[in-house]
Amino acid sequence: YMTKVRPLEEQSLVQHFHYPLLADCDFEARPMVLLVGQYSVGKTSFIRYLLESDFPGMHVGPEPTTDRFQAIMYGAAARELPGNALASNPDTPFYELSRCFGNAFLSKFSGCEVPSLFARGCTLIDTPGVLSGRKQTEDRLYSYEDVVRWFAPRADLILLMFDAHKVDISDEFKRVIEVLQGHDDKVRVVMNKADSLSPEELLRVNSALSWSL
């Protein structure tokens, strides 16, 4: 790839209109799974269920609790990793983040390692819940949509998560979903908390969500 394919990609500027150029670390990295959803839909709880344990930096609550992007990776022992360290290491898939988004974003990016069998198979990206109104556009010091746009082509699977009790799609979440256009083959829709509904309610909610999407 490095000697034959990448020079052709650079010459045709493929990274500007299709997909990012690959680095050596991309060939050895575990598959990446990106979780996106509005706040309090259960993204962090979903990750905790997959890992079968808590993980460093985890916050769970009814209000917006996850205020940062977090990469959950496999490691021999549980430990938290600062975003600056991940973004400055050329051996990680996150090496370009500092150049693309600067320190304002890196202060809201972190990683952690967990000794989980599930994490041996993939890297999970937990994201802040999509907020509504001014908080989404002004209170954050970086563009949420641009960060999702950076992760989307690099992710192998994108999970759009919804709460079965509130399937409305805000204008902000709509813009995030539009960013994912072109990556439809990777997107899967997860309706969290569906086990708390009766079959009749689930059918009605499923129809409402399908219509909204």
Side-chain angles (χ1 to χ4, degrees), residues 7 25 39 42-43 48 56-57 59 64 75 89-90 105 120 127 134 146 151 160 166 173 181 185 191 207:
C25 62
Y39 74 89
K43 296 185 296 297
R48 181 171 62 175
H59 299 286
N89 185 353
F105 169 72
R120 279 181 179 269
T127 63
R134 186 177 62 85
D146 286 346
F151 273 105
L160 277 183
K166 46 180 182 180
F173 194 28
Q181 287 186 352
D185 57 319
M191 189 182 295
S207 300

Side-chain angles (χ1 to χ4, degrees), residues 25 52 71 89 97 107 112 116 121 135 139 155 163 168 178 190 208:
C25 62
E52 299 182 336
N89 185 353
L97 281 172
S107 65
C112 72
S116 165
K135 285 186 175 295
D139 289 2
D163 187 329
D168 294 338
E178 289 172 348
V190 177

Side-chain angles (χ1 to χ4, degrees), residues 7-59:
L8 291 175
E9 291 180 337
E10 292 174 341
Q11 187 177 1
S12 59
L13 304 177
V14 70
Q15 70 272 24
H16 294 296
F17 63 86
H18 191 27
Y19 54 80
L21 300 177
L22 299 177
D24 288 335
C25 62
D26 292 314
F27 290 95
E28 299 178 0
R30 292 179 172 87
M32 188 183 297
V33 179
L34 177 67
L35 291 90
V36 182
Q38 299 183 111
Y39 74 89
S40 194
V41 298
K43 296 185 296 297
T44 303
S45 298
F46 183 75
I47 292 174
R48 181 171 62 175
Y49 174 80
L50 295 176
L51 299 177
E52 299 182 336
S53 68
D54 293 347
F55 55 92
M58 181 191 75
H59 299 286

Side-chain angles (χ1 to χ4, degrees), residues 76-132:
R79 62 169 182 157
E80 195 162 1
L81 302 169
N84 286 295
L86 286 174
S88 61
N89 185 353
D91 294 331
T92 71
F94 315 109
Y95 182 56
E96 294 182 5
L97 281 172
S98 58
R99 181 176 60 83
C100 295
F101 302 107
N103 291 327
F105 169 72
L106 291 183
S107 65
K108 294 296 185 180
F109 174 64
S110 65
C112 72
E113 292 182 347
V114 289
S116 165
L117 284 176
F118 187 88
R120 279 181 179 269
C122 66
T123 294
L124 299 168
I125 307 296
D126 193 11
T127 63
V130 179
L131 303 175
S132 300

